[in-house]
Amino acid sequence: MNDGLIQCLECGGWFRSIWSHLVRVHGLTAREYREHHDLPKSHKLASNDLRAAQSGLTKGMFADGTMNNEQ
């Protein structure tokens, strides 16, 4: 990981998140990508800073009631 980016092992490009890139550009699911590169299931496909920002947004939505666990 480099400056909040994660490298795609297919093409070498750098992204904050490679999940949608894998689908759009390489036609791979996250599972296929991990299997192809012998990565563990726990291998993250988004940078730590992006994951932290998304977590903060989700926690805020729970706190203000715009999101809940009820179906």
Side-chain angles (χ1 to χ4, degrees), residues 17-61:
S17 172
I18 63 169
W19 186 84
S20 62
H21 166 77
L22 292 174
V23 174
R24 279 192 331 267
V25 176
H26 303 296
L28 294 171
T29 65
R31 184 175 52 98
E32 292 167 336
Y33 176 80
R34 288 182 180 111
E35 287 174 358
H36 184 258
H37 294 284
D38 198 29
L39 301 169
K41 289 181 182 181
S42 61
H43 184 82
K44 305 298 183 211
L45 300 180
S47 64
N48 289 335
D49 65 329
L50 178 61
R51 290 175 40 243
Q54 289 173 331
S55 176
L57 288 173
T58 301
K59 288 176 184 176
M61 292 174 75

Side-chain angles (χ1 to χ4, degrees), residues 1-30:
M1 201 171 307
N2 181 22
D3 294 324
L5 300 175
I6 187 167
Q7 187 173 30
C8 173
L9 298 175
E10 291 290 310
C11 66
W14 291 90
F15 306 90
R16 287 186 75 199
S17 172
I18 63 169
W19 186 84
S20 62
H21 166 77
L22 292 174
V23 174
R24 279 192 331 267
V25 176
H26 303 296
L28 294 171
T29 65

